[in-house]
Amino acid sequence: MIRLMLAEDMHLIRKALVALLSSEDDLEVVAEADKGEDIVRLGCLRRPDVAVLDIGMPGVDGLTAAAELHRRLPSCKTVVLTGLGTPTALRKALDANVRGFVVKDASPGHLVDCIRRVAKGERVIDPELAVAALDADANPLTARELDVLETAAGGATVGEIADRLSLSRGTVRNYLSRILTKVGARSRVEAIQIASECGWLWPAAGRDIGILRYRSRR
């Protein structure tokens, strides 16, 4: 019997997944989480063999929780569910020691097969997505520069970026200047669009471009 923990913040989807997985003779759901901060606590308490985690959890995101769960409970292998089947998402999942990567439009049978294979010690990644990750353009930005750009993509002003990342405003402006130079952009908006199209931002940024265009003039 493979003991499972399932983390999904949407109640109907979580219960549908519990019903699906519990219908398999060799799968047992022993813990459910609807918030990211509960994942590690429940994992250490219930000690599942495999944790199936939604990446986009409220609070602590699924990948951050996956990395901490691996550190605290290395016997538990992780499968992530995501609607973001991008090279950046895959790279971050691999960095978090995730063993299986499943997009949400995959068939139920694929998820069940992935769980079984991961429980046996295999790593299960969609081949096309793996190739796309290898072929993606190299990211010229450092981790801190990405933090700054991702925060800016949400519409934050220089002052707000500084407050959220515990930086001075001058340091934030220096980071933004280096980012523009590295990606060959003339503005923050253009830098975000370039980084988004190349798959460097996580989560996929640029949806608040309209807000940013207004606030970047401030």
Side-chain angles (χ1 to χ4, degrees), residues 38-128:
D38 290 338
I39 290 172
V40 175
R41 177 182 63 82
L42 286 172
C44 292
L45 179 66
R46 301 295 295 162
R47 304 186 73 84
D49 302 307
V50 178
V52 181
L53 312 179
D54 180 16
I55 284 184
M57 296 289 289
V60 178
D61 69 87
L63 294 184
T64 299
E68 180 63 14
L69 185 61
H70 177 77
R71 188 183 73 81
R72 298 273 297 276
L73 189 67
S75 63
C76 178
K77 302 173 178 67
T78 303
V79 172
V80 296
L81 294 172
T82 180
L84 296 171
T86 66
T88 297
L90 176 56
R91 287 196 196 104
K92 285 186 174 284
L94 295 177
D95 288 343
N97 293 291
V98 167
R99 304 298 299 180
F101 190 96
V102 179
V103 292
K104 286 187 174 180
D105 62 355
S107 69
H110 178 71
L111 173 60
V112 171
D113 178 65
C114 177
I115 290 170
R116 288 176 177 144
R117 291 172 61 188
V118 164
K120 292 178 181 177
E122 297 181 42
R123 174 166 273 159
V124 183
I125 306 293
D126 180 83
E128 291 186 6

Coordinates of all heavy atoms in Angstrom, one line a residue, residues 38-128:
D38 N 0.8 23.9 6.0 CA 0.5 22.7 6.7 C 1.2 21.4 6.1 O 1.1 20.4 6.7 CB -1.1 22.4 6.6 CG -1.8 23.4 7.4 OD1 -1.3 24.0 8.4 OD2 -3.0 23.6 7.2
I39 N 1.8 21.6 5.0 CA 2.3 20.4 4.2 C 3.4 19.7 5.1 O 3.4 18.5 5.3 CB 2.9 20.8 2.9 CG1 1.7 21.2 1.9 CG2 3.7 19.7 2.2 CD1 2.1 21.8 0.6
V40 N 4.4 20.5 5.5 CA 5.5 19.8 6.2 C 5.1 19.3 7.6 O 5.4 18.1 7.9 CB 6.7 20.8 6.4 CG1 7.8 20.2 7.3 CG2 7.3 21.3 5.1
R41 N 4.2 20.0 8.3 CA 3.7 19.5 9.6 C 2.9 18.2 9.4 O 3.2 17.2 10.1 CB 2.8 20.6 10.2 CG 2.2 20.1 11.5 CD 1.3 21.2 12.1 NE 0.1 21.4 11.2 CZ -1.0 20.7 11.2 NH1 -1.1 19.6 11.9 NH2 -2.0 21.0 10.3
L42 N 2.0 18.1 8.4 CA 1.2 16.9 8.2 C 2.1 15.8 7.7 O 1.9 14.6 8.0 CB 0.1 17.2 7.2 CG -1.1 18.0 7.8 CD1 -2.1 18.4 6.7 CD2 -1.8 17.2 8.9
G43 N 3.1 16.2 6.9 CA 4.0 15.1 6.3 C 4.8 14.4 7.4 O 4.9 13.2 7.5
C44 N 5.3 15.3 8.4 CA 6.1 14.7 9.5 C 5.2 13.9 10.4 O 5.6 12.9 11.0 CB 6.8 15.8 10.2 SG 8.1 16.6 9.2
L45 N 3.9 14.3 10.5 CA 3.0 13.6 11.4 C 2.5 12.3 10.9 O 2.5 11.3 11.5 CB 1.8 14.5 11.7 CG 0.7 14.0 12.6 CD1 1.3 13.8 14.1 CD2 -0.5 14.9 12.7
R46 N 2.1 12.3 9.6 CA 1.5 11.1 9.0 C 2.5 10.3 8.2 O 2.2 9.2 7.8 CB 0.4 11.6 8.0 CG -0.7 12.4 8.7 CD -1.5 11.5 9.8 NE -2.2 10.4 9.1 CZ -2.6 9.3 9.7 NH1 -2.4 9.2 11.0 NH2 -3.2 8.4 9.0
R47 N 3.7 10.8 7.8 CA 4.8 10.1 7.2 C 4.3 9.3 5.9 O 4.4 8.1 5.9 CB 5.4 9.2 8.2 CG 6.0 9.9 9.4 CD 6.8 9.0 10.3 NE 8.1 8.7 9.7 CZ 9.1 9.6 9.9 NH1 9.0 10.7 10.5 NH2 10.3 9.2 9.3
P48 N 3.8 10.1 4.9 CA 3.4 9.4 3.7 C 4.6 8.9 2.9 O 5.7 9.4 3.1 CB 2.6 10.5 3.0 CG 3.3 11.8 3.4 CD 3.6 11.5 4.9
D49 N 4.3 8.0 2.0 CA 5.4 7.6 1.1 C 5.6 8.5 -0.1 O 6.7 8.8 -0.6 CB 5.0 6.2 0.5 CG 4.8 5.1 1.6 OD1 5.8 5.0 2.4 OD2 3.8 4.5 1.6
V50 N 4.4 9.1 -0.5 CA 4.5 10.1 -1.6 C 3.6 11.3 -1.3 O 2.4 11.1 -0.8 CB 4.0 9.5 -3.0 CG1 3.9 10.5 -4.1 CG2 4.9 8.3 -3.4
A51 N 4.1 12.5 -1.5 CA 3.2 13.7 -1.3 C 2.9 14.2 -2.7 O 3.8 14.5 -3.5 CB 4.0 14.7 -0.5
V52 N 1.6 14.4 -3.0 CA 1.2 15.0 -4.2 C 0.8 16.5 -3.9 O -0.2 16.7 -3.2 CB 0.0 14.2 -4.8 CG1 -0.5 14.8 -6.1 CG2 0.3 12.8 -5.0
L53 N 1.5 17.4 -4.5 CA 1.4 18.8 -4.1 C 1.1 19.7 -5.3 O 1.7 19.6 -6.3 CB 2.7 19.3 -3.4 CG 3.4 18.5 -2.4 CD1 4.6 19.1 -1.9 CD2 2.4 18.2 -1.2
D54 N 0.1 20.6 -5.1 CA -0.2 21.6 -6.1 C 0.9 22.7 -5.9 O 1.2 23.1 -4.8 CB -1.6 22.2 -5.8 CG -1.9 23.3 -6.8 OD1 -1.3 23.4 -7.8 OD2 -2.9 24.0 -6.5
I55 N 1.5 23.2 -7.0 CA 2.5 24.2 -6.9 C 1.9 25.5 -6.3 O 2.5 26.1 -5.5 CB 3.1 24.5 -8.3 CG1 4.1 23.3 -8.6 CG2 3.9 25.8 -8.3 CD1 4.9 23.5 -9.9
G56 N 0.7 25.9 -6.8 CA 0.1 27.2 -6.5 C -0.7 27.2 -5.2 O -1.8 27.6 -5.2
M57 N -0.1 26.7 -4.1 CA -0.8 26.7 -2.8 C -0.7 28.1 -2.2 O 0.3 28.9 -2.3 CB -0.1 25.7 -1.8 CG -0.2 24.3 -2.3 SD -1.9 23.7 -2.1 CE -2.1 23.5 -0.3
P58 N -1.7 28.5 -1.4 CA -1.7 29.8 -0.7 C -0.7 29.8 0.4 O -0.4 28.7 1.0 CB -3.1 30.0 -0.2 CG -3.7 28.6 -0.1 CD -3.0 27.8 -1.2
G59 N -0.1 30.9 0.7 CA 0.9 30.9 1.8 C 2.2 30.4 1.2 O 2.8 30.9 0.3
V60 N 2.7 29.3 1.8 CA 3.9 28.6 1.3 C 3.6 27.9 0.0 O 2.7 27.1 0.0 CB 4.4 27.7 2.4 CG1 5.7 26.9 1.9 CG2 4.7 28.4 3.7
D61 N 4.3 28.2 -1.0 CA 4.0 27.5 -2.3 C 4.5 26.1 -2.3 O 5.3 25.7 -1.4 CB 4.6 28.3 -3.5 CG 6.1 28.2 -3.5 OD1 6.7 27.2 -4.0 OD2 6.8 29.1 -2.9
G62 N 3.9 25.3 -3.2 CA 4.2 23.9 -3.2 C 5.7 23.5 -3.4 O 6.1 22.5 -2.8
L63 N 6.4 24.3 -4.1 CA 7.8 23.9 -4.3 C 8.7 24.2 -3.1 O 9.6 23.5 -2.7 CB 8.4 24.7 -5.6 CG 7.8 24.2 -6.9 CD1 8.5 24.9 -8.0 CD2 7.9 22.7 -7.1
T64 N 8.4 25.3 -2.4 CA 9.1 25.6 -1.2 C 8.8 24.6 -0.1 O 9.7 24.1 0.6 CB 8.6 27.0 -0.6 OG1 8.9 28.0 -1.6 CG2 9.3 27.3 0.7
A65 N 7.5 24.1 -0.1 CA 7.1 23.1 0.9 C 7.8 21.8 0.5 O 8.2 21.0 1.4 CB 5.6 22.9 0.9
A66 N 7.9 21.5 -0.8 CA 8.5 20.2 -1.3 C 10.0 20.2 -0.9 O 10.5 19.1 -0.4 CB 8.4 20.1 -2.8
A67 N 10.7 21.3 -1.0 CA 12.1 21.3 -0.6 C 12.3 21.1 0.9 O 13.2 20.3 1.3 CB 12.7 22.7 -1.0
E68 N 11.4 21.7 1.7 CA 11.5 21.6 3.2 C 11.1 20.2 3.6 O 11.7 19.6 4.5 CB 10.7 22.6 3.9 CG 10.7 22.6 5.4 CD 12.0 22.8 6.0 OE1 12.9 23.3 5.3 OE2 12.2 22.5 7.2
L69 N 10.1 19.6 2.9 CA 9.6 18.3 3.2 C 10.7 17.2 2.9 O 10.9 16.3 3.7 CB 8.4 17.9 2.4 CG 7.7 16.6 2.7 CD1 7.2 16.5 4.1 CD2 6.5 16.4 1.7
H70 N 11.4 17.5 1.8 CA 12.6 16.6 1.5 C 13.7 16.6 2.6 O 14.3 15.6 2.9 CB 13.1 16.9 0.2 CG 14.3 16.1 -0.2 ND1 14.2 14.8 -0.7 CD2 15.7 16.4 -0.2 CE1 15.4 14.3 -0.9 NE2 16.3 15.3 -0.6
R71 N 13.9 17.9 3.1 CA 14.9 18.0 4.1 C 14.5 17.4 5.4 O 15.3 16.7 6.1 CB 15.2 19.5 4.4 CG 16.4 19.8 5.3 CD 16.5 21.3 5.5 NE 15.5 21.8 6.4 CZ 15.5 21.7 7.8 NH1 16.5 21.1 8.3 NH2 14.5 22.1 8.5
R72 N 13.2 17.5 5.8 CA 12.7 17.0 7.1 C 12.3 15.5 7.0 O 12.4 14.8 8.0 CB 11.5 17.8 7.5 CG 11.8 19.3 7.8 CD 12.3 19.5 9.2 NE 11.3 19.2 10.1 CZ 10.3 20.0 10.5 NH1 10.2 21.2 10.0 NH2 9.4 19.6 11.4
L73 N 11.9 15.1 5.8 CA 11.4 13.7 5.7 C 11.8 13.1 4.3 O 11.0 13.0 3.4 CB 9.8 13.7 5.8 CG 9.2 12.3 5.9 CD1 9.5 11.6 7.2 CD2 7.7 12.4 5.7
P74 N 13.1 12.8 4.2 CA 13.7 12.4 2.9 C 13.1 11.1 2.4 O 13.1 10.9 1.2 CB 15.2 12.2 3.2 CG 15.3 12.1 4.6 CD 14.2 12.9 5.2
S75 N 12.4 10.3 3.2 CA 11.8 9.1 2.7 C 10.5 9.4 1.9 O 10.1 8.5 1.2 CB 11.4 8.2 3.9 OG 10.5 8.8 4.8
C76 N 10.0 10.6 2.1 CA 8.7 10.9 1.3 C 9.1 11.5 0.0 O 9.8 12.5 -0.1 CB 7.9 11.9 2.1 SG 6.4 12.5 1.3
K77 N 8.7 10.9 -1.1 CA 8.9 11.4 -2.4 C 7.8 12.3 -2.8 O 6.7 12.2 -2.4 CB 9.1 10.3 -3.4 CG 10.2 9.3 -3.0 CD 10.3 8.1 -3.9 CE 11.4 7.2 -3.5 NZ 11.2 6.6 -2.1
T78 N 8.1 13.3 -3.7 CA 7.1 14.3 -4.0 C 6.8 14.3 -5.5 O 7.6 14.2 -6.4 CB 7.7 15.7 -3.7 OG1 8.0 15.7 -2.3 CG2 6.6 16.8 -3.9
V79 N 5.5 14.4 -5.8 CA 4.9 14.7 -7.1 C 4.2 16.0 -7.1 O 3.5 16.3 -6.2 CB 3.9 13.6 -7.5 CG1 3.2 13.9 -8.8 CG2 4.6 12.2 -7.6
V80 N 4.5 16.9 -8.0 CA 3.9 18.2 -8.1 C 2.9 18.2 -9.2 O 3.1 17.7 -10.3 CB 4.8 19.4 -8.2 CG1 5.7 19.5 -7.0 CG2 5.7 19.3 -9.5
L81 N 1.7 18.9 -8.9 CA 0.7 19.2 -9.9 C 0.8 20.6 -10.3 O 0.9 21.5 -9.4 CB -0.7 18.8 -9.4 CG -1.0 17.4 -9.1 CD1 -2.3 17.3 -8.3 CD2 -1.0 16.6 -10.3
T82 N 0.7 21.0 -11.5 CA 0.8 22.4 -11.9 C 0.0 22.6 -13.2 O -0.1 21.8 -14.1 CB 2.2 22.8 -12.1 OG1 2.3 24.2 -12.4 CG2 3.0 22.0 -13.1
G83 N -0.5 23.8 -13.3 CA -1.0 24.3 -14.6 C 0.1 25.0 -15.4 O -0.2 25.4 -16.6
L84 N 1.3 25.1 -14.8 CA 2.4 25.8 -15.5 C 3.4 24.8 -15.9 O 4.4 24.6 -15.3 CB 3.0 26.8 -14.5 CG 2.1 28.0 -14.0 CD1 2.8 28.8 -12.9 CD2 1.8 28.9 -15.2
G85 N 3.2 24.2 -17.1 CA 4.1 23.3 -17.6 C 5.2 24.0 -18.4 O 5.3 23.9 -19.6
T86 N 6.1 24.7 -17.7 CA 7.1 25.5 -18.3 C 8.5 25.0 -17.9 O 8.6 24.4 -16.9 CB 7.0 27.0 -17.9 OG1 7.2 27.2 -16.5 CG2 5.6 27.6 -18.2
P87 N 9.5 25.3 -18.7 CA 10.9 25.0 -18.3 C 11.3 25.5 -17.0 O 12.0 24.9 -16.2 CB 11.7 25.5 -19.5 CG 10.8 25.5 -20.6 CD 9.5 25.9 -20.1
T88 N 10.9 26.8 -16.7 CA 11.2 27.4 -15.4 C 10.6 26.6 -14.2 O 11.2 26.4 -13.2 CB 10.8 28.9 -15.3 OG1 11.5 29.6 -16.4 CG2 11.1 29.5 -14.0
A89 N 9.3 26.3 -14.4 CA 8.6 25.5 -13.3 C 9.3 24.2 -13.1 O 9.5 23.7 -12.0 CB 7.2 25.3 -13.7
L90 N 9.7 23.5 -14.2 CA 10.4 22.2 -14.1 C 11.7 22.4 -13.4 O 12.1 21.6 -12.6 CB 10.6 21.6 -15.5 CG 11.3 20.3 -15.6 CD1 10.7 19.2 -14.7 CD2 11.4 19.8 -17.0
R91 N 12.5 23.4 -13.8 CA 13.8 23.6 -13.2 C 13.7 23.8 -11.7 O 14.4 23.2 -10.9 CB 14.5 24.8 -13.8 CG 15.1 24.5 -15.2 CD 16.1 25.6 -15.6 NE 16.3 25.6 -17.0 CZ 15.8 26.5 -17.8 NH1 15.1 27.5 -17.4 NH2 16.1 26.5 -19.1
K92 N 12.7 24.6 -11.3 CA 12.5 24.9 -9.9 C 12.0 23.6 -9.1 O 12.4 23.4 -8.0 CB 11.5 26.0 -9.7 CG 12.1 27.4 -10.0 CD 11.1 28.5 -9.7 CE 11.8 29.8 -9.8 NZ 12.7 30.2 -8.7
A93 N 11.2 22.8 -9.8 CA 10.8 21.5 -9.2 C 12.0 20.6 -9.0 O 12.1 20.0 -7.9 CB 9.7 20.9 -10.1
L94 N 12.8 20.5 -10.0 CA 14.0 19.6 -9.8 C 14.9 20.1 -8.7 O 15.5 19.3 -8.0 CB 14.8 19.5 -11.1 CG 14.0 18.9 -12.3 CD1 14.8 18.9 -13.6 CD2 13.6 17.4 -11.9
D95 N 15.1 21.4 -8.6 CA 15.9 22.0 -7.5 C 15.3 21.7 -6.1 O 16.1 21.6 -5.2 CB 16.0 23.5 -7.7 CG 16.9 23.9 -8.9 OD1 17.7 23.1 -9.3 OD2 16.8 25.1 -9.3
A96 N 14.0 21.5 -6.1 CA 13.3 21.2 -4.8 C 13.2 19.7 -4.6 O 12.5 19.2 -3.7 CB 11.9 21.8 -4.8
N97 N 14.0 18.9 -5.3 CA 14.0 17.4 -5.2 C 12.7 16.7 -5.5 O 12.4 15.7 -4.9 CB 14.5 17.0 -3.8 CG 16.0 17.4 -3.5 OD1 16.9 16.9 -4.1 ND2 16.2 18.4 -2.7
V98 N 11.9 17.3 -6.3 CA 10.7 16.7 -6.8 C 11.0 15.6 -7.7 O 11.8 15.6 -8.5 CB 9.8 17.8 -7.5 CG1 8.6 17.1 -8.2 CG2 9.3 18.8 -6.5
R99 N 10.2 14.4 -7.5 CA 10.5 13.2 -8.3 C 9.5 13.1 -9.4 O 9.8 12.3 -10.4 CB 10.4 12.0 -7.4 CG 11.3 12.0 -6.2 CD 12.8 12.0 -6.6 NE 13.2 10.9 -7.4 CZ 14.4 10.6 -7.9 NH1 15.3 11.5 -7.6 NH2 14.6 9.6 -8.5
G100 N 8.3 13.7 -9.4 CA 7.4 13.6 -10.5 C 6.8 15.0 -10.8 O 6.5 15.8 -9.8
F101 N 6.5 15.3 -12.0 CA 6.0 16.6 -12.5 C 4.8 16.3 -13.4 O 5.0 15.7 -14.5 CB 7.1 17.3 -13.2 CG 6.8 18.8 -13.5 CD1 7.3 19.8 -12.6 CD2 6.1 19.1 -14.6 CE1 7.0 21.1 -12.9 CE2 5.8 20.4 -14.9 CZ 6.3 21.4 -14.0
V102 N 3.6 16.7 -13.0 CA 2.4 16.3 -13.7 C 1.6 17.6 -14.0 O 1.3 18.4 -13.0 CB 1.5 15.3 -13.0 CG1 0.3 15.0 -13.8 CG2 2.3 14.0 -12.7
V103 N 1.3 17.9 -15.2 CA 0.5 19.1 -15.5 C -1.0 18.7 -15.3 O -1.4 17.5 -15.4 CB 0.7 19.6 -17.0 CG1 2.1 20.1 -17.1 CG2 0.4 18.5 -18.0
K104 N -1.8 19.7 -14.9 CA -3.2 19.4 -14.5 C -4.1 18.9 -15.6 O -5.2 18.4 -15.3 CB -3.7 20.6 -13.8 CG -3.2 20.9 -12.4 CD -3.9 22.0 -11.7 CE -3.4 22.1 -10.3 NZ -4.1 23.2 -9.5
D105 N -3.7 19.1 -16.8 CA -4.6 18.6 -17.9 C -4.2 17.2 -18.3 O -4.7 16.6 -19.3 CB -4.6 19.5 -19.1 CG -3.2 19.7 -19.7 OD1 -2.2 19.1 -19.2 OD2 -3.2 20.3 -20.8
A106 N -3.3 16.5 -17.5 CA -2.9 15.1 -17.8 C -4.1 14.2 -17.4 O -5.0 14.6 -16.7 CB -1.7 14.7 -17.0
S107 N -4.1 13.0 -18.0 CA -5.2 12.1 -17.7 C -5.1 11.6 -16.2 O -3.9 11.5 -15.7 CB -5.2 10.9 -18.6 OG -4.0 10.1 -18.4
P108 N -6.2 11.2 -15.6 CA -6.1 10.6 -14.2 C -5.1 9.4 -14.2 O -4.4 9.2 -13.2 CB -7.5 10.2 -13.9 CG -8.4 11.1 -14.8 CD -7.6 11.3 -16.0
G109 N -5.2 8.6 -15.3 CA -4.3 7.4 -15.3 C -2.8 7.8 -15.3 O -2.0 7.0 -14.7
H110 N -2.5 8.9 -15.9 CA -1.1 9.3 -15.9 C -0.7 9.7 -14.5 O 0.5 9.4 -14.1 CB -0.9 10.5 -16.9 CG 0.5 11.1 -16.9 ND1 1.5 10.4 -17.5 CD2 1.0 12.2 -16.4 CE1 2.6 11.1 -17.4 NE2 2.3 12.2 -16.7
L111 N -1.5 10.4 -13.8 CA -1.2 10.7 -12.4 C -1.0 9.5 -11.5 O 0.0 9.4 -10.8 CB -2.3 11.6 -11.8 CG -2.1 12.0 -10.3 CD1 -0.8 12.7 -10.0 CD2 -3.3 12.8 -9.8
V112 N -1.9 8.5 -11.6 CA -1.8 7.3 -10.9 C -0.5 6.6 -11.2 O 0.3 6.1 -10.3 CB -3.0 6.4 -11.1 CG1 -2.8 5.0 -10.4 CG2 -4.3 7.1 -10.5
D113 N -0.2 6.5 -12.5 CA 1.0 5.8 -13.0 C 2.3 6.5 -12.4 O 3.2 5.9 -12.0 CB 1.0 5.7 -14.5 CG 2.3 5.1 -15.0 OD1 2.5 3.8 -14.7 OD2 3.1 5.7 -15.7
C114 N 2.2 7.8 -12.5 CA 3.4 8.6 -12.0 C 3.6 8.4 -10.5 O 4.7 8.2 -10.1 CB 3.1 10.1 -12.2 SG 4.4 11.2 -11.6
I115 N 2.5 8.3 -9.7 CA 2.7 8.1 -8.3 C 3.3 6.7 -8.0 O 4.2 6.6 -7.2 CB 1.3 8.2 -7.6 CG1 0.8 9.6 -7.6 CG2 1.4 7.6 -6.1 CD1 -0.6 9.8 -7.1
R116 N 2.8 5.7 -8.7 CA 3.4 4.4 -8.5 C 4.9 4.3 -8.9 O 5.7 3.7 -8.2 CB 2.6 3.4 -9.4 CG 1.2 3.1 -8.8 CD 0.4 2.2 -9.7 NE -0.9 1.9 -9.1 CZ -2.0 1.7 -9.9 NH1 -2.0 1.8 -11.2 NH2 -3.2 1.4 -9.3
R117 N 5.2 4.9 -10.0 CA 6.6 4.9 -10.4 C 7.5 5.7 -9.5 O 8.6 5.3 -9.2 CB 6.7 5.4 -11.9 CG 6.1 4.5 -12.9 CD 6.0 5.1 -14.3 NE 7.3 5.5 -14.8 CZ 7.6 6.2 -15.9 NH1 6.5 6.6 -16.6 NH2 8.8 6.4 -16.3
V118 N 7.0 6.8 -9.0 CA 7.8 7.6 -8.1 C 8.0 6.8 -6.8 O 9.1 6.9 -6.2 CB 7.1 9.0 -7.8 CG1 7.7 9.7 -6.6 CG2 7.3 9.9 -9.0
A119 N 7.0 6.2 -6.3 CA 7.1 5.4 -5.1 C 8.1 4.3 -5.2 O 8.8 3.9 -4.2 CB 5.7 4.7 -4.8
K120 N 8.4 3.8 -6.4 CA 9.4 2.8 -6.7 C 10.8 3.4 -6.8 O 11.8 2.6 -6.9 CB 9.1 2.0 -8.0 CG 7.8 1.2 -7.9 CD 7.6 0.5 -9.3 CE 6.3 -0.4 -9.2 NZ 6.0 -1.0 -10.6
G121 N 10.9 4.7 -6.8 CA 12.2 5.3 -6.9 C 12.5 6.0 -8.2 O 13.6 6.5 -8.4
E122 N 11.6 5.9 -9.2 CA 11.8 6.5 -10.5 C 11.5 8.0 -10.4 O 10.9 8.5 -9.5 CB 10.9 5.9 -11.5 CG 11.1 4.4 -11.8 CD 10.2 3.9 -12.8 OE1 10.0 4.6 -13.8 OE2 9.6 2.8 -12.6
R123 N 12.1 8.7 -11.4 CA 11.7 10.1 -11.6 C 10.9 10.2 -12.9 O 11.3 9.7 -13.9 CB 13.0 11.0 -11.8 CG 12.7 12.4 -12.2 CD 13.9 13.3 -12.0 NE 13.9 13.8 -10.6 CZ 15.0 14.3 -10.0 NH1 16.2 14.3 -10.6 NH2 15.0 14.7 -8.8
V124 N 9.7 10.9 -12.8 CA 8.8 10.9 -13.9 C 8.6 12.3 -14.4 O 7.9 13.1 -13.7 CB 7.5 10.2 -13.5 CG1 6.5 10.2 -14.7 CG2 7.7 8.8 -13.0
I125 N 9.1 12.6 -15.5 CA 9.0 14.0 -16.1 C 8.5 13.8 -17.6 O 9.1 12.9 -18.3 CB 10.3 14.7 -16.1 CG1 10.9 14.8 -14.7 CG2 10.2 16.1 -16.7 CD1 10.1 15.6 -13.7
D126 N 7.6 14.6 -18.0 CA 7.2 14.6 -19.4 C 8.4 14.8 -20.3 O 9.1 15.8 -20.2 CB 6.1 15.6 -19.7 CG 5.6 15.6 -21.1 OD1 4.7 14.8 -21.4 OD2 6.1 16.4 -21.9
P127 N 8.6 13.9 -21.3 CA 9.8 14.0 -22.1 C 9.9 15.3 -22.9 O 11.0 16.0 -23.0 CB 9.7 12.8 -23.1 CG 8.9 11.8 -22.4 CD 7.9 12.6 -21.6
E128 N 8.7 15.8 -23.4 CA 8.7 17.0 -24.2 C 9.1 18.2 -23.3 O 9.8 19.1 -23.8 CB 7.4 17.2 -24.9 CG 7.1 16.2 -26.0 CD 5.8 16.5 -26.7 OE1 5.2 17.6 -26.4 OE2 5.4 15.7 -27.5

